[in-house]
Amino acid sequence: MRTSLRVPALAVAGVLALTGLTACGGDSGSEGKGDQVKIMVGGLDKVIYLPAMLTERLGYFEDEGVSVQLLTEPAGVQAETALVSGDVQGTVGFYDHTLDLQVKGKQVESVVQFSQAPGEVEIVSNQAAAELRSAKDFKGKKLGVTGIGSSTDFLTKYLAVSNGVRTSEFTPVAVGAGQTFISALQQGSIQGGMTTDPTVATILDKKLGKILIDMRTPEGSKEALGGLYPSSSLYMQTEWVDSHKETVQKLANAFVRTLKWMSTHSADEIAAKMPADYAQGGGKALYAEAIKSTLPMFTTDGVMPADGPATVERVLKAFNPNLKDAKVDLARTYTTEFVDKAK
């Protein structure tokens, strides 16, 4: 954990420019007074990234005097690309990308840790349920992930290798989330896959599949991964953080305030604050149920779980050849400097 200024990281070079950035609807544009910040979210309508839009809907960005433009991409790996290419100043995505990027020479860090568990669920289609009963049965299967190189891809590979299945023995298929994931499951393009709420709630409601592995709670994370797995977070390039401390503090203040608000309000109350179309056609009641199932993953203060980074490193090194023998400086992958002040 870093708490003091460091020498700025080397400039990122050679990153392909990201195209097709999509701004969310509503009043989240960058117009108005205050600091201007663009944040890319790896799926604004995913419950695991709910604090991003909720903070805006509660008016906490405005209260802090920072003008935030929320952008969305379907997968965390695409959100990561937007950050390292300089298209945005922050990303709401999985913390594990900070480790992956460090060994690639790009220094980024989590500045607000939203969650302590992945919030992910491995789903199996009804047609494949008889032959796909655990991660030991991944061999020979086509398994859906949001994108290749995404956190769902990382976690799927870990579940495979930790259960005796080599990563070469199954096929990850990039199917996104929401309706594209559901369609792939229905059509048999995948036998199972990793996704989040509200997609999980929709699949169960329509009786299209069953839960194989549930990592929406700290207990589920410990059972599947051997410990707490910090996932959704606000992460930023360290060089930008060091040169924009006042702005980062405002963002931390707003997000920590949201996390505290979430911890004292019901799933129904949270759902009522969110855009209606985030329910993905499932209706308000089903969306609230999806939020309720995922709420245990969130922290109440934005602080990184003490043993979380080590768990993430162990998981990634189990299957990632780039990380296996690499030295990762975990203290440089996150900071509590700003959330400590926010408290």
Side-chain angles (χ1 to χ4, degrees):
M1 176 185 70
R2 76 180 189 94
T3 56
S4 59
L5 184 66
R6 293 197 304 274
V7 178
L10 295 176
V12 177
V15 181
L16 295 176
L18 187 74
T19 58
L21 302 186
T22 308
C24 70
D27 57 356
S28 61
S30 59
E31 297 82 1
K33 299 179 180 180
D35 302 334
Q36 309 282 315
V37 179
K38 290 182 180 179
I39 297 176
M40 180 63 76
V41 185
L44 263 173
D45 57 355
K46 296 177 184 176
V47 177
I48 57 171
Y49 299 142
L50 181 148
M53 178 56 74
L54 182 58
T55 301
E56 180 183 278
R57 303 283 282 197
L58 291 171
Y60 293 166
F61 290 137
E62 184 178 359
D63 288 350
E64 290 294 329
V66 58
S67 183
V68 174
Q69 184 178 11
L70 295 175
L71 304 161
T72 187
E73 283 286 4
V77 66
Q78 294 161 328
E80 168 198 294
T81 303
L83 179 70
V84 298
S85 62
D87 290 302
V88 298
Q89 291 75 53
T91 292
V92 170
F94 268 39
Y95 161 73
D96 53 22
H97 289 287
T98 68
L99 281 72
D100 188 52
L101 287 169
Q102 187 183 107
V103 300
K104 295 175 181 176
K106 302 170 179 65
Q107 188 58 48
V108 302
E109 61 190 12
S110 166
V111 295
V112 183
Q113 192 59 47
F114 295 165
S115 63
Q116 56 188 335
E120 303 281 353
V121 173
E122 185 71 25
I123 289 282
V124 58
S125 69
N126 290 334
Q127 298 92 321
E131 59 185 30
L132 181 50
R133 293 173 291 181
S134 75
K136 295 178 181 180
D137 300 320
F138 281 2
K139 186 176 181 179
K141 305 298 189 299
K142 293 181 179 180
L143 302 175
V145 297
T146 52
I148 304 302
S150 67
S151 295
T152 53
D153 186 29
F154 291 165
L155 289 170
T156 301
K157 287 176 178 176
Y158 174 77
L159 291 173
V161 299
S162 63
N163 283 277
V165 180
R166 294 191 297 270
T167 58
S168 60
E169 293 181 317
F170 71 94
T171 305
V173 182
V175 293
Q179 190 53 51
T180 55
F181 184 99
I182 294 171
S183 295
L185 200 68
Q186 285 180 296
Q187 295 167 8
S189 302
I190 57 175
Q191 285 80 55
M194 191 169 292
T195 191
T196 61
D197 277 310
T199 307
V200 174
T202 301
I203 290 171
L204 297 180
D205 182 64
K206 293 183 176 180
K207 296 179 173 54
L208 301 175
K210 302 174 182 178
I211 291 177
L212 198 66
I213 301 167
D214 193 339
M215 297 179 286
R216 291 177 293 184
T217 65
E219 295 74 21
S221 177
K222 291 175 182 177
E223 182 178 353
L225 306 174
L228 294 179
Y229 193 94
S231 56
S232 55
S233 64
L234 171 67
Y235 66 83
M236 313 178 89
Q237 294 201 59
T238 298
E239 185 175 12
W240 198 91
V241 172
D242 287 341
S243 59
H244 296 80
K245 285 182 176 286
E246 289 187 11
T247 301
V248 176
Q249 188 62 60
K250 291 175 182 178
L251 292 170
N253 293 344
F255 280 127
V256 170
R257 188 177 174 190
T258 295
L259 291 169
K260 290 183 177 180
W261 187 92
M262 289 169 60
S263 71
T264 59
H265 289 74
S266 69
D268 287 324
E269 291 171 316
I270 295 170
K273 292 288 184 180
M274 302 299 288
D277 61 348
Y278 280 22
Q280 296 183 359
K284 291 182 179 179
L286 188 61
Y287 182 54
E289 188 62 31
I291 292 175
K292 183 178 180 180
S293 297
T294 306
L295 271 180
M297 72 176 280
F298 293 105
T299 69
T300 61
D301 53 12
V303 175
M304 175 66 73
D307 298 329
T311 300
V312 173
E313 181 182 25
R314 176 176 52 77
V315 166
L316 294 182
K317 285 192 171 186
F319 67 86
N320 190 325
N322 294 326
L323 276 148
K324 186 175 181 180
D325 298 317
K327 172 64 176 177
V328 179
D329 187 350
L330 292 177
R332 300 181 68 197
T333 61
Y334 71 100
T335 176
T336 64
E337 174 183 354
F338 303 97
V339 294
D340 285 343
K341 293 178 180 177
K343 290 191 295 182

